[in-house]
Amino acid sequence: MTATTLANSGAGEIFQILRDGQARTKAELAAMTGLARSTVALRIDALVASGLLHPAGEAVSTGGRPPARIAFNTEAGVVLALDLGATHGTAAVADLSGRILDARTRAIDIADGPERVLDSILADGAELLADLITPQRPLLGVGVGVPGPVEHSTGRPTNPPIMPGWDRFDVPSYVQRTHAVPVLVDNDVNILALGEHALRWSDVDDLLFVKVSTGIGAGIIAGGQLQRGAQGSAGDMGHVHVPYRQDSGRDPADDRDLEALASGPAIAAVLRDQGYDTHRSADVIELVRAGDQAAITATRQAGRDVGEVLATMVNMLNPSTIVIGGSIARAGEHLLAGVREVVYRRSIPLATQHLAIVQSQGGERAAVFGAAIMVANEILSPARVDAYVAAHADR
């Protein structure tokens, strides 16, 4: 095996250690990996030559010349992150750590269909990229979040209820007509879970992120990794039927699923039956923030319904943290209070002994941040890094 082949074949594994942003010496990396210093030196030199690592000053000398340190070069490339919602779309450019460099949000209607929506958001992305990419900092990947189920292996939305015209549409191929780089697509709740986890809960290995908005879904982090399931539908709690309870106020024959009971439009329908002019999540949020008691009561009941489904998930998955996000959660603590009321009462004591149920803190850019992290995790995987280093060495 030649020195070049030796460097390329294991560079990706060493690179994973340095993705935490901490600068290290070659000797430190040799001690951490158990590899020979000469092997580590070859792989580090190859990574530096590719641009993925860069010099980061000198360590403290223990006698003689101070050893050089190297670190992850987050500016070696950029990622384009696209977050598509029912009524808004955000394009953002991030560095390889996921840090957002610039972003732009526009009003969209997801029902306009894939070509029209993607063309508009990609145009925004192109304008952002024009100011941020250079030969030394190229575009390396694109991440897309959409408000519906996605077959993750193909990136195709599958029977998305609020996305007419998107079913089985080949989003990656369409984006690659503009950007010839890897394109990853996932549902919006999964990328929100990735973003929230990385921004606020990176030390938590088992987390559920629940979005309550026009729809309801969950992103599952288990063992520190996002769990998508066999086809990508893991966490689709919105279509779980909520069992009848005497204290729910529902008719015993009412066996609607969670989304039909507790989403923003569902709460709006409850209030409309009481004489309110409410049709959307935004109408509910406005009333809750204004202190309307009927809206607060309906929102808290929605939280209880969400809690009924979450209690089962807590018993099965045993997360240490549940993060509640989405537009309805942002209206105040009322949804959260309903969730806590039921989960702590109906889940087994061992599962709730140290369980925290908290409000999302990721903010408006959590989704594009999550999309950027999704892409970075793919393009900076050991195998991809090995291939990147090899391609650079062949130039």
Side-chain angles (χ1 to χ4, degrees):
M1 182 179 289
T2 67
T4 299
T5 303
L6 179 63
N8 294 346
S9 64
E13 292 292 348
I14 288 182
F15 178 75
Q16 303 310 306
I17 299 172
L18 293 161
R19 281 190 65 190
D20 65 2
Q22 181 178 337
R24 296 178 175 88
T25 66
K26 293 176 181 177
E28 288 172 334
L29 290 166
M32 294 175 71
T33 61
L35 296 170
R37 288 195 183 192
S38 58
T39 301
V40 170
L42 281 171
R43 293 173 181 176
I44 292 300
D45 290 345
L47 286 162
V48 171
S50 74
L52 289 174
L53 298 183
H54 62 179
E58 296 177 337
V60 176
S61 175
T62 57
R65 182 177 178 181
R69 298 188 303 171
I70 62 276
F72 177 23
N73 179 17
T74 61
E75 296 291 314
V78 296
V79 169
L80 178 62
L82 308 176
D83 168 36
L84 303 179
T87 59
H88 78 280
T90 299
V93 178
D95 68 15
L96 295 183
S97 72
R99 181 173 65 93
I100 304 300
L101 304 175
D102 201 359
R104 182 178 301 177
T105 298
R106 67 158 63 223
I108 64 169
D109 183 350
I110 200 71
D112 284 342
E115 291 95 341
R116 183 172 177 181
V117 170
L118 287 170
D119 285 349
S120 64
I121 205 73
L122 285 169
D124 288 343
E127 291 184 14
L128 296 174
L129 287 168
D131 295 328
L132 292 168
I133 60 172
T134 67
Q136 292 74 39
R137 189 169 69 174
L139 175 67
L140 297 181
V142 179
V144 186
V146 299
V150 174
E151 184 181 60
H152 186 68
S153 61
T154 64
R156 295 172 184 258
T158 304
N159 296 318
I162 66 168
M163 301 171 65
W166 288 78
D167 184 38
R168 306 303 301 169
F169 184 80
D170 192 348
V171 176
S173 293
Y174 194 84
V175 174
Q176 285 170 332
R177 300 195 320 177
T178 306
H179 302 296
V181 295
V183 177
L184 299 181
V185 184
D186 208 339
N187 70 72
D188 56 350
V189 183
N190 278 347
I191 64 169
L192 279 165
L194 284 171
E196 189 81 29
H197 183 249
L199 281 168
R200 178 64 182 83
W201 306 99
S202 58
D203 59 337
V204 173
D205 286 338
D206 298 282
L207 174 146
L208 295 179
F209 178 89
V210 180
K211 180 184 179 184
V212 182
S213 189
T214 303
I216 299 176
I220 303 169
I221 306 285
Q225 301 296 318
L226 178 67
Q227 305 299 317
R228 296 186 172 92
Q231 267 70 52
S233 67
D236 187 6
M237 61 184 287
H239 293 102
V240 174
H241 284 247
V242 181
Y244 168 74
R245 303 185 321 275
Q246 288 185 339
D247 60 354
S248 68
R250 292 161 49 204
D251 186 279
D254 184 354
D255 67 344
R256 287 175 293 168
D257 63 27
L258 180 61
E259 202 163 281
L261 287 171
S263 66
I267 301 170
V270 169
L271 295 172
R272 195 162 58 248
D273 289 343
Q274 299 177 38
Y276 288 82
D277 184 23
T278 50
H279 300 273
R280 306 172 303 151
S281 298
D283 300 328
V284 175
I285 295 165
E286 183 179 354
L287 287 170
V288 170
R289 288 177 174 169
D292 183 274
Q293 191 55 52
I296 289 171
T297 298
T299 300
R300 181 152 186 158
Q301 180 56 49
R304 294 188 187 101
D305 292 329
V306 172
E308 288 287 342
V309 176
L310 273 178
T312 300
M313 297 178 71
V314 166
N315 288 341
M316 294 183 67
L317 299 173
N318 190 202
S320 59
T321 304
I322 297 175
V323 181
I324 309 294
S327 59
I328 302 301
R330 291 196 296 269
E333 287 282 321
H334 311 292
L335 183 82
L336 202 64
V339 171
R340 287 172 173 154
E341 177 185 331
V342 174
V343 169
Y344 288 131
R345 186 175 75 242
R346 294 190 178 273
S347 300
I348 61 175
L350 183 60
T352 58
Q353 185 175 8
H354 301 292
L355 175 65
I357 303 177
V358 299
Q359 194 155 10
S360 170
Q361 299 178 27
E364 295 181 355
R365 291 188 175 181
V368 285
F369 181 74
I373 292 295
M374 173 177 68
V375 176
N377 287 342
E378 172 65 20
I379 64 176
L380 298 178
S381 66
R384 291 269 194 171
V385 169
D386 285 347
Y388 188 82
V389 170
H392 187 90
D394 290 339
R395 291 176 187 173

